Amino acid sequence: MNNQRVLMTAVGSYLPANVVTNEVLSSFVDTDDAWIRRRTGIAQRHLVAEGETTADLACNAAAKALANAGLTGDDIDIIIIATTTPDNTFPSTATKLQHMIEAKDAIAFDIQAVCAGFVYALDIADAMLQSGRGRRALVVGAESFSKLLDWEDRTTCVLFGDGAGAVVLELADDAGDWGICSSVLHSDGAYRDILYVDGGPSSNVSVGHVRMEGKEVFRHAVEKLASVMDEALSAANMQARDIDWLVPHQANVRIIDAMQKKMDLPSDRVVRTVEQHANTSAASIPLALSAAVDDGRIKNGDVLAMEAIGGGLVWGAALVKFGRPS
Ligand code: UT7
C-alpha cells in the first residue's frame, strides 16, 4: 500500500555571535541574575549585531539544514519562514532567503504566528506537500526579536533572544510510520490583548514593542499546551509514553517542567535550551531540535513531540518520527 508522508530529514540552526548574560543585562536594566534564573530558567541570550538581519540568520540556518540533507537550493519547491521580525514589511523575508540560497524554482512566503510560528509553518508545509505542491520544503523559524523589545520594560526585555532554525521536509512514498504523524493548531483572538506588539503599519505606522501580561500568558500556556498535546497524541493514535523527546517552545523552564510532568516524561527526555537561548519565538523549537540532533541525543527514528503558544493567542502541537527509514 502506498503510504505517502512528509519526512523531516534534516535540521540546521544559527545563533548570532553576541552573547548577553543576565549579569551584563543587569548593568542597564533594573533586574538581576537570580530573579531571571528563578522565574524563567534563562542565563543568557544571543542578540543580532548591528546590520545583521533576520534573513541573515535564516540563511545561515537554512544553509546548514540543506548541507545536512545533502541538498541545494535547486532541490527546494517551497520555502516558508515563520517570523514576527521580518527584514521589511514587504517583500517577505522568505523571498530574500530564496534569492540567497538560489532556490530559483521555489515559491516563498512568510507566515505570522509569533512563538507558535514554527508549528504553524510545519502544518502548512505538510498540507502543501501532501496536496502535490512540491516534493521538498524548507521550513524556517527566524527572529531578531530583540528589535521588538522595550529595554526600559524589565518584565519583557529579559525574556527574549535572537536566532534561527530550519528543517528540510521531503515527501516520501511508502514512508510507513515515519515523518509528520499529526499536527493540531488553535487560535483564540479573544486573548489578543495579553501578549502583543503596540505598533504596526495600519495601526500607528510604527514597529512597536512587546507588551505582555506574563502571569495570564503563563496560565494559558500550561493549560492549552497540555490540551493540544493530548489532541496531537490522539490524532496520531499515540500515547505520551511513545514519545522519545519533547522539544517544546522555550519560553520559560517552569512551563517546560509543567509539560514534562503532565506528560509524565523523564526529565532527560525533554530538550531544554531556554537557559542558553532565552525565548527566540518562532526559532525556539528548531533551535532546540538542532542542538539535540547535533549533540547526538536525537537520533534517526526518534519520535518527537513539539508544542508552542504565542500572541493571538495561537498554539499548536506536532508529532514527528524524525529522519528517514534506512
Ligand atoms: O513565548 C510566548 C509565551 N510567553 C510566555 O510563555 C511567558 C509566560 N510568562 C512568564 O514566563 C512569567 O509570567 C514571567 C517570567 C514573564 C514573569 O514571572 P512571574 O512569576 O509571573 O512574575 P510577575 O510578573 O508576577 O512579577 C513578580 C515580581 C513583580 O514584583 P512585585 O510586584 O511582586 O513587587 C515584578 O515587578 O517580579 C518583578 N519583576 C522583576 N524583578 C526583577 C518582573 N520582572 C522582573 C525582572 N527583574 N526582570
Side-chain angles (χ1 to χ4, degrees), residues 2 10 21-22 27 36 75 88 93 112 139 169 173 178 201 216 261-262 269 271 313:
N2 185 13
T21 62
N22 292 345
S27 66
I36 301 173
D75 300 308
N88 299 85
T93 305
Q112 157 57 284
V139 171
L169 302 181
D173 301 323
W178 289 69
E216 269 300 283
K261 285 204 183 70
K262 278 188 190 284
R269 287 280 142 180
V271 182
L313 293 173

Side-chain angles (χ1 to χ4, degrees), residues 284-295:
S284 90
I285 290 177
L287 269 167
L289 176 59
S290 178
V293 170
D294 286 353
D295 68 20

Side-chain angles (χ1 to χ4, degrees), residues 168-195:
V168 173
L169 302 181
E170 303 189 50
L171 193 64
D173 301 323
D174 301 318
D177 62 349
W178 289 69
I180 299 177
C181 310
S182 70
S183 68
V184 179
L185 305 177
H186 288 289
S187 312
D188 190 343
Y191 299 111
R192 67 196 177 282
D193 292 343
I194 63 171
L195 176 52

Side-chain angles (χ1 to χ4, degrees), residues 115-197:
C115 297
F118 183 74
V119 286
Y120 264 67
L122 203 60
D123 183 274
I124 294 164
D126 183 34
M128 289 184 75
L129 293 174
Q130 294 269 15
S131 67
R133 304 300 290 271
R135 299 285 306 184
R136 295 194 186 96
L138 195 56
V139 171
V140 186
E143 301 280 16
S144 307
F145 217 81
S146 58
K147 299 291 171 82
L148 293 178
L149 300 176
D150 173 357
W151 293 101
E152 313 257 287
D153 176 9
R154 69 176 184 171
T155 69
T156 53
C157 74
V158 304
L159 305 175
F160 296 92
D162 303 331
V167 295
V168 173
L169 302 181
E170 303 189 50
L171 193 64
D173 301 323
D174 301 318
D177 62 349
W178 289 69
I180 299 177
C181 310
S182 70
S183 68
V184 179
L185 305 177
H186 288 289
S187 312
D188 190 343
Y191 299 111
R192 67 196 177 282
D193 292 343
I194 63 171
L195 176 52
Y196 66 102
V197 161

Side-chain angles (χ1 to χ4, degrees), residues 31 35 39-40 115 154 214-215 249 251-252 254-255 279 309:
T31 188
W35 189 96
R39 302 288 179 126
T40 71
C115 297
R154 69 176 184 171
K215 268 204 188 323
H249 174 47
N252 188 320
R254 292 187 288 137
I255 297 174
N279 180 351
I309 184 165

Side-chain angles (χ1 to χ4, degrees), residues 19-311:
V19 174
V20 177
T21 62
N22 292 345
E23 283 83 2
V24 170
L25 206 61
S26 309
S27 66
F28 59 96
V29 177
D30 178 19
T31 188
D32 59 87
D33 178 55
W35 189 96
I36 301 173
R37 279 180 192 267
R38 196 172 62 247
R39 302 288 179 126
T40 71
I42 296 167
Q44 61 172 50
R45 70 285 295 139
H46 292 248
L47 300 184
V48 283
E50 190 76 36
E52 191 174 32
T53 70
T54 297
D56 298 326
L57 306 182
C59 184
N60 280 304
K64 286 185 194 160
L66 285 172
N68 288 338
L71 300 173
T72 68
D74 267 339
D75 300 308
I76 299 298
D77 304 308
I78 301 166
I79 298 172
I80 307 177
I81 298 190
T83 187
T84 299
T85 46
D87 289 15
N88 299 85
T89 302
F90 83 84
S92 69
T93 305
T95 54
K96 217 167 161 180
L97 176 63
Q98 175 196 15
H99 182 68
M100 292 162 109
I101 62 170
E102 299 180 7
K104 290 183 276 306
D105 296 326
I107 56 165
F109 59 96
D110 292 355
I111 66 114
Q112 157 57 284
V114 211
C115 297
F118 183 74
V119 286
Y120 264 67
L122 203 60
D123 183 274
I124 294 164
D126 183 34
M128 289 184 75
L129 293 174
Q130 294 269 15
S131 67
R133 304 300 290 271
R135 299 285 306 184
R136 295 194 186 96
L138 195 56
V139 171
V140 186
E143 301 280 16
S144 307
F145 217 81
S146 58
K147 299 291 171 82
L148 293 178
L149 300 176
D150 173 357
W151 293 101
E152 313 257 287
D153 176 9
R154 69 176 184 171
T155 69
T156 53
C157 74
V158 304
L159 305 175
F160 296 92
D162 303 331
V167 295
V168 173
L169 302 181
E170 303 189 50
L171 193 64
D173 301 323
D174 301 318
D177 62 349
W178 289 69
I180 299 177
C181 310
S182 70
S183 68
V184 179
L185 305 177
H186 288 289
S187 312
D188 190 343
Y191 299 111
R192 67 196 177 282
D193 292 343
I194 63 171
L195 176 52
Y196 66 102
V197 161
D198 59 4
S202 84
S203 58
N204 58 9
V205 205
S206 77
V207 172
H209 293 121
V210 174
R211 305 296 173 204
M212 176 166 70
E213 288 177 37
K215 268 204 188 323
E216 269 300 283
V217 176
F218 192 103
R219 192 174 62 78
H220 283 288
V222 173
E223 174 197 306
K224 290 181 165 47
L225 292 174
S227 147
V228 76
M229 184 57 74
D230 283 345
E231 287 180 80
L233 286 167
S234 155
N237 210 10
M238 283 188 196
Q239 309 206 330
R241 64 171 173 271
D242 299 321
I243 302 302
D244 293 305
W245 292 99
L246 174 63
V247 189
H249 174 47
Q250 309 281 325
N252 188 320
V253 79
R254 292 187 288 137
I255 297 174
I256 297 172
D257 291 348
M259 276 301 288
Q260 180 214 321
K261 285 204 183 70
K262 278 188 190 284
M263 293 177 74
D264 199 19
L265 291 173
S267 182
D268 63 1
R269 287 280 142 180
V270 180
V271 182
R272 293 177 177 84
T273 49
V274 65
E275 184 180 359
Q276 295 86 32
H277 302 169
N279 180 351
T280 56
S281 183
S284 90
I285 290 177
L287 269 167
L289 176 59
S290 178
V293 170
D294 286 353
D295 68 20
R297 276 179 291 168
I298 293 180
K299 296 187 173 54
N300 201 50
D302 280 351
V303 177
L304 316 178
M306 295 172 266
E307 38 81 341
I309 184 165

